[in-house]
Amino acid sequence: MMDRYGSTMYLFAQRILDSYGSREDVEECVSDVFIMAWNRIDEYDPLRSSLQTWMYMLTKYRALDCRRKLTDRPQLVVIDDDLTNSDNLERTVIQKAETEEILRIVDSYGSIDRTIFYKKYYLYESLDMIASALGLTRKSVENRLRRTRNALKEQLILAWKEDISHE
């Protein structure tokens, strides 16, 4: 399993952990996933999903747990030399805050919608690949993505309005 799924699991965990952790954190997360798979193999049901999908789900949940733990610890901010301009620094800080807010909102969605969102926008999988992996039609995936984007947009607008009203 490590030879077959290791590199894709690593990339998946790396995208979820993104700027939250180091390379070692991603490696530890993936190692934890393989230990979980070993200990919980009796929970795997080949009639419900492929082994690869099951491994992706274990990776997703473990990486999200790791990300939550990492956000609780203090983070060091590395400022690149090209960010000495205050406009660039401000833009970078705003983009990071927006990304964190988007992920926080997406993490509150149902399992299928969250999975579709991450597969599309973090793993860059095609709609056909997502539909096939989840046992859905392409149209169903398109509709779920549209609803998720609309809900996300509404929640971001509400959060933005709340921030403005508190200023």
Side-chain angles (χ1 to χ4, degrees):
M1 279 184 9
M2 292 175 81
D3 289 340
R4 187 169 187 175
Y5 303 117
S7 60
T8 56
M9 308 310 267
Y10 182 89
L11 291 173
F12 187 41
Q14 186 177 35
R15 287 194 177 150
I16 293 173
L17 293 173
D18 190 32
S19 62
Y20 294 94
S22 64
R23 192 177 116 241
E24 290 80 15
D25 292 321
V26 175
E27 289 172 359
E28 183 178 344
C29 175
V30 173
S31 294
D32 290 349
V33 170
F34 284 109
I35 292 169
M36 286 171 50
W38 176 264
N39 291 328
R40 297 169 55 183
I41 194 67
D42 58 320
E43 295 175 22
Y44 169 64
D45 181 0
L47 299 175
R48 292 185 64 205
S49 67
S50 68
L51 183 60
Q52 181 178 10
T53 300
W54 185 69
M55 292 295 294
Y56 269 121
M57 296 307 289
L58 290 177
T59 303
K60 177 184 84 164
Y61 290 120
R62 181 66 192 136
L64 291 172
D65 287 343
C66 290
R67 189 174 80 194
R68 280 191 270 290
K69 288 178 186 171
L70 290 169
T71 57
D72 290 341
R73 75 180 188 199
Q75 297 284 316
L76 290 175
V77 177
V78 178
I79 300 177
D80 295 334
D81 291 336
D82 64 334
L83 295 177
T84 55
N85 179 329
S86 64
D87 290 340
N88 288 341
L89 180 58
E90 182 178 344
R91 189 174 323 121
T92 300
V93 169
I94 289 171
Q95 286 174 343
K96 183 171 177 11
E98 288 172 345
T99 299
E100 288 173 358
E101 179 68 10
I102 289 169
L103 293 176
R104 185 190 62 73
I105 292 170
V106 169
D107 286 347
S108 71
Y109 294 157
S111 175
I112 293 176
D113 293 325
R114 246 191 343 256
T115 301
I116 291 170
F117 184 88
Y118 282 120
K119 283 180 169 287
K120 177 67 177 165
Y121 297 111
Y122 281 84
L123 295 177
Y124 305 105
E125 290 184 12
S126 71
L127 296 176
D128 292 327
M129 284 177 62
I130 297 168
S132 175
L134 298 176
L136 301 170
T137 65
R138 178 187 169 98
K139 191 66 175 170
S140 175
V141 171
E142 288 173 354
N143 288 335
R144 284 178 171 275
L145 274 174
R146 182 179 34 74
R147 284 193 304 266
T148 300
R149 284 191 308 267
N150 289 340
L152 182 60
K153 182 179 174 182
E154 288 175 19
Q155 288 177 300
L156 288 172
I157 289 170
L158 285 174
W160 178 71
K161 287 180 180 178
E162 282 181 22
D163 288 345
I164 288 179
S165 69
H166 287 105
E167 289 180 0

